[in-house]
Amino acid sequence: MLGDLPPEILFQILLFVPPASIPAFQQTCRKFNELSQPLLWRYHCRTQYKYWKPEHDIAAKYAQSAAKTDWKQLFRSRHLADVAITHELEGILSVQTGRLEKAEKVIDHGYNAKDTLRRHLNVSDDAEDVLARR
C-alpha cells in the first residue's frame, strides 16, 4: 500500500517522523530507503537547529547541493551535543555541587549549545524547576 505512493508523498510523510524514529520507520517500506537521504537530514538540521558554530559554515552548506554534505552525520553530532548539554544542565539544576564544572562543559559547546539552552528555557509554568531554568 505505501509502496504504491509516489516518492514525493513518501518523502513528505518522512518529514513528519521524528528523526530518532526514521531508521525504524524506513524498515516498514523499502521505498522509504530509496528516498533522498541528504534532503531529509538537511531538512531536520534546518528545522531542529537554528544556531550553529561558525566553523560549520552552515549557510554555505545550505546553499550547495544536499549531496555534498553528510547531513545525517551533521545532525547526529548536533543531537549528541544536545544530549550532553541536557545532561549537564540537569546536573546543574538537580545537584548543588560541581555546578561550575558542569557549566564550563556547556560553555565548551559554544554556539551549538544555544538551541538546547533556549529549548530548556521554554518550559511550562507548572514545571517543577521552572524558576531554576528561567
Side-chain angles (χ1 to χ4, degrees):
M1 182 161 166
L2 283 175
D4 297 333
L5 294 173
E8 296 82 12
I9 301 295
L10 294 174
F11 185 78
Q12 290 298 316
I13 291 170
L14 267 179
L15 294 180
F16 288 97
V17 176
S21 301
I22 288 175
F25 192 77
Q26 286 179 317
Q27 292 177 358
T28 64
C29 176
R30 187 173 55 220
K31 280 187 101 174
F32 281 119
N33 283 324
E34 297 169 2
L35 297 175
S36 178
Q37 293 292 319
L39 289 175
L40 176 67
W41 291 106
R42 180 170 71 175
Y43 169 82
H44 285 300
C45 283
R46 188 180 295 249
T47 59
Q48 300 285 320
Y49 303 109
K50 181 178 179 181
Y51 304 100
W52 295 82
K53 284 183 177 179
E55 59 260 23
H56 287 296
D57 197 18
I58 201 68
K61 287 179 179 166
Y62 284 144
Q64 67 188 11
S65 167
K68 292 187 179 206
T69 301
D70 187 351
W71 290 103
K72 186 175 183 179
Q73 178 57 35
L74 191 56
F75 181 87
R76 186 177 188 277
S77 69
R78 281 301 303 271
H79 174 72
L80 292 175
D82 275 357
V83 170
I85 295 164
T86 297
H87 175 74
E88 297 302 333
L89 184 58
E90 296 295 334
I92 291 169
L93 296 173
S94 64
V95 180
Q96 292 184 3
T97 59
R99 287 182 172 170
L100 184 57
E101 293 82 12
K102 291 173 182 142
E104 287 173 349
K105 288 181 182 179
V106 171
I107 291 168
D108 287 343
H109 285 279
Y111 212 56
N112 284 350
K114 189 171 182 178
D115 287 305
T116 308
L117 293 172
R118 289 179 57 93
R119 190 170 47 253
H120 284 280
L121 175 69
N122 296 322
V123 296
S124 66
D125 290 337
D126 59 347
E128 182 178 316
D129 57 357
V130 65
L131 293 178
R133 289 181 187 274
R134 291 186 179 166

